[in-house]
Amino acid sequence: MVKQDSSSLTDAVEQVAKQQQSQTSEIEKNKKIRLHLQNELHELEKQIAAVSAEAKETERQIYQQDATIENTKLHCGNLETQIRSLHTENVKLKFDIEAAQEELEEHMIRYNEYYAKIKFHKDSLGAVERKWPFMTELHEKRDLVKKLKIMKEELMQDLQNPEGNWMKQVQEDITKLKDKIKSVKESITEKSRFLEEEKQTHEKLRKEIEVQHKRYGAILKRLHCQVNKLQSNRRQWQWNIQQLEKTAAELKKCIGMKD
């Protein structure tokens, strides 16, 4: 009896354990399902938000396209107006061109007639001019100018050719000039040396002259002093002579009175 009860209890415990395990497994499974559903819900919410943003962007683009279409319609209307105006101007220009072309044809006819007359007069004048003496001289001068141009071209070619006669002559002249320049430089160097010596001599003479000037200045000063002294003595002598003459006159007067 006890064994049966113990066995029944064990079975009951095992059954309860199995039920708990089954419930635990079911709970875990439900958790996983709930987590999966939550993830799917979150993903759906993100998709809904993205679709909503895309819908707003689409609405904005549609609004912009509507505005662009309106602007395009307005621009097309302006273009149609301009096209009609240009068409009118083109028609007017076409008539003007036709009229101008007709006028040009008339002018060309008159010009050809005038050109024919001018050519006739020019030919006649040329025949007469050829008989004039100065025209003969003019033609001769023209021929001379042509010859000079040919000579100029030949000279230019000769100048461009290093082996040409002109270049050889120029090189010889350059060599002569170099020799002459060298000779002149040597002469200048010699003259410069001579001038330097002359400068030194002049400097020496200048110093000697300054010394002589100082010496003569002192002598002249001394002579001036002597002259001044002599002039002073002369004035004194003149005064003394005048006094003596005065005294002599008085003595003569006294002698005359005594006689």
Side-chain angles (χ1 to χ4, degrees):
M1 185 70 179
V2 174
K3 288 182 180 180
Q4 289 179 352
D5 292 337
S6 177
S7 177
S8 297
L9 182 60
T10 301
D11 292 336
V13 170
E14 289 178 354
Q15 188 175 0
V16 170
K18 288 179 180 180
Q19 288 178 355
Q20 288 179 350
Q21 186 177 3
S22 177
Q23 289 177 356
T24 301
S25 177
E26 188 68 22
I27 290 169
E28 290 295 330
K29 184 177 180 181
N30 290 333
K31 284 182 178 180
K32 290 180 180 180
I33 292 171
R34 187 180 66 182
L35 181 62
H36 178 69
L37 291 174
Q38 286 177 349
N39 291 332
E40 287 184 352
L41 179 62
H42 182 66
E43 187 66 26
L44 285 173
E45 288 176 351
K46 287 171 64 177
Q47 291 179 2
I48 290 169
V51 170
S52 177
E54 186 177 356
K56 289 181 180 180
E57 180 64 22
T58 303
E59 289 178 358
R60 188 182 64 80
Q61 291 179 358
I62 291 170
Y63 176 76
Q64 289 181 350
Q65 288 178 358
D66 290 339
T68 303
I69 290 169
E70 290 297 327
N71 292 330
T72 304
K73 287 180 179 179
L74 181 61
H75 184 61
C76 288
N78 293 331
L79 289 176
E80 288 176 355
T81 303
Q82 293 178 6
I83 289 169
R84 285 193 295 271
S85 177
L86 289 173
H87 179 69
T88 303
E89 290 181 1
N90 286 334
V91 173
K92 183 176 180 299
L93 286 173
K94 183 178 180 181
F95 286 116
D96 292 340
I97 290 169
E98 290 176 354
Q101 190 170 2
E102 292 176 357
E103 186 177 359
L104 178 62
E105 290 176 355
E106 293 177 358
H107 281 297
M108 287 300 296
I109 292 170
R110 289 197 295 270
Y111 173 76
N112 290 331
E113 293 175 354
Y114 176 76
Y115 179 76
K117 290 180 181 180
I118 292 296
K119 187 175 183 302
F120 175 75
H121 288 297
K122 185 177 180 181
D123 293 339
S124 300
L125 182 62
V128 174
E129 285 179 350
R130 282 192 291 272
K131 297 178 182 179
W132 294 344
F134 71 89
M135 291 302 298
T136 303
E137 184 179 356
L138 178 62
H139 289 301
E140 291 177 354
K141 288 183 178 180
R142 285 179 178 174
D143 294 336
L144 179 60
V145 169
K146 290 180 181 179
K147 291 180 181 179
L148 290 174
K149 286 183 178 179
I150 294 171
M151 291 176 64
K152 179 183 176 182
E153 291 177 357
E154 292 177 352
L155 181 60
M156 291 298 294
Q157 292 177 358
D158 197 6
L159 287 173
Q160 292 175 358
N161 183 12
E163 300 297 329
N165 295 328
W166 178 257
M167 289 301 295
K168 289 181 180 179
Q169 182 65 35
V170 170
Q171 289 176 356
E172 290 177 359
D173 292 340
I174 290 171
T175 303
K176 291 179 181 179
L177 284 173
K178 286 182 178 179
D179 294 337
K180 189 174 181 180
I181 290 169
K182 184 178 179 181
S183 176
V184 171
K185 284 183 177 180
E186 291 176 354
S187 176
I188 290 171
T189 303
E190 183 66 23
K191 289 181 179 180
S192 298
R193 185 180 60 78
F194 176 74
L195 287 173
E196 186 64 27
E197 292 177 355
E198 287 293 321
K199 283 182 181 180
Q200 293 176 359
T201 303
H202 288 168
E203 183 66 21
K204 185 177 180 181
L205 290 173
R206 186 183 64 79
K207 291 180 179 179
E208 290 179 358
I209 290 169
E210 287 180 355
V211 172
Q212 293 295 331
H213 279 174
K214 290 179 180 179
R215 183 182 300 169
Y216 293 149
I219 294 170
L220 185 62
K221 186 176 181 181
R222 187 170 63 252
L223 289 174
H224 277 301
C225 292
Q226 291 176 359
V227 169
N228 291 332
K229 187 176 181 180
L230 289 172
Q231 288 177 350
S232 178
N233 292 333
R234 181 183 177 185
R235 287 192 295 271
Q236 184 65 36
W237 292 339
Q238 287 178 351
W239 187 81
N240 291 333
I241 290 169
Q242 289 175 357
Q243 292 297 322
L244 290 172
E245 288 177 349
K246 186 177 180 181
T247 302
E250 289 177 353
L251 290 173
K252 286 180 180 180
K253 187 177 180 181
C254 291
I255 293 170
M257 290 176 65
K258 288 180 179 181
D259 292 338

